[in-house]
Amino acid sequence: LDADYRALKQRLLEEITTYDCDVVCLQDVDDYHGFWLPGLNAAGFDTLYAPRQRSQAHREEDLISEDLDGVLVGWKRRHFQLVRSEVVSLHRAAERATRASLAVRCAARDEVAILIDLVPFNEATHDAALVVACAQLAGGHAGDANEPTAEDWDVVSDEQMKRLVSDWRSEEAVRGVQAKYLGQEIEVFNRDFQHPVVLCASLHAAPGSEAHALLETGRPPGVPAPPRPPVAPPTVERDGIGLGDI
């Protein structure tokens, strides 16, 4: 398994360098110092890395690890120069939660985001500065809830399905709060210069979900309203004038 994983990382690195891209955003990255830092550096990238925040979500033995998985941003050093950066701890989204139970769930999470501000440098192919955000939202842990599927009905009881749906909706709510908090942090980070923003993230959410809608439009998805009662047709008098026209 370790040999397969090392080979997979090497293939990913080769794929990245094949595209000859200027900016790279990766999530769920581990072995940063042992593999990604030297590998991307040799390919011409400067990088920043932020591991998941050490929190109660990690077992005690994880707390001594220098390479918890996290997010990584890389940029071609001959094209861009780093002006400033910020690490956003998404457990702080709990401060924006509207319900106590949701705040507790948010506070227990350990996901992070990196925000960086890049300006053109030396051999830049364009003149625009750029803000890049790289994030991972709730859903990256092995025990996190996934959206139940039709196949789940064949293997679980009704009560178990209710719990699956409840857990998944709770995770969706956490992702929604995290997405809103992340959007606000990006606005604050970028308010002085208003540079174009590129956001790359592991949302663990489908289009139409609260997290996706908040990041795409700044608003939660609309809830369909019940149909309105039909409008009564205007009454017609003998002279042909409808009362609704008067």
Side-chain angles (χ1 to χ4, degrees), residues 162-176:
K162 289 180 181 179
R163 287 197 297 273
L164 286 174
V165 172
S166 175
D167 291 343
W168 172 71
R169 287 177 175 170
S170 297
E171 291 287 337
E172 282 283 276
V174 169
R175 284 189 283 271

Side-chain angles (χ1 to χ4, degrees), residues 159-240:
E159 285 300 316
Q160 289 174 320
M161 176 57 73
K162 289 180 181 179
R163 287 197 297 273
L164 286 174
V165 172
S166 175
D167 291 343
W168 172 71
R169 287 177 175 170
S170 297
E171 291 287 337
E172 282 283 276
V174 169
R175 284 189 283 271
V177 176
Q178 289 180 332
K180 185 175 182 179
Y181 178 72
L182 176 61
Q184 292 169 341
E185 291 298 299
I186 292 173
E187 287 184 5
V188 172
F189 182 81
N190 194 33
R191 64 186 172 189
D192 291 336
F193 300 103
Q194 296 294 303
H195 291 156
V197 176
V198 175
L199 170 62
C200 300
S202 291
L203 297 183
H204 303 288
S209 64
E210 183 176 1
H212 183 272
L214 283 165
L215 291 173
E216 183 179 40
T217 68
R219 298 179 180 180
V223 178
R228 296 180 179 179
V231 178
T235 58
V236 180
E237 298 297 321
R238 292 182 180 179
D239 58 4

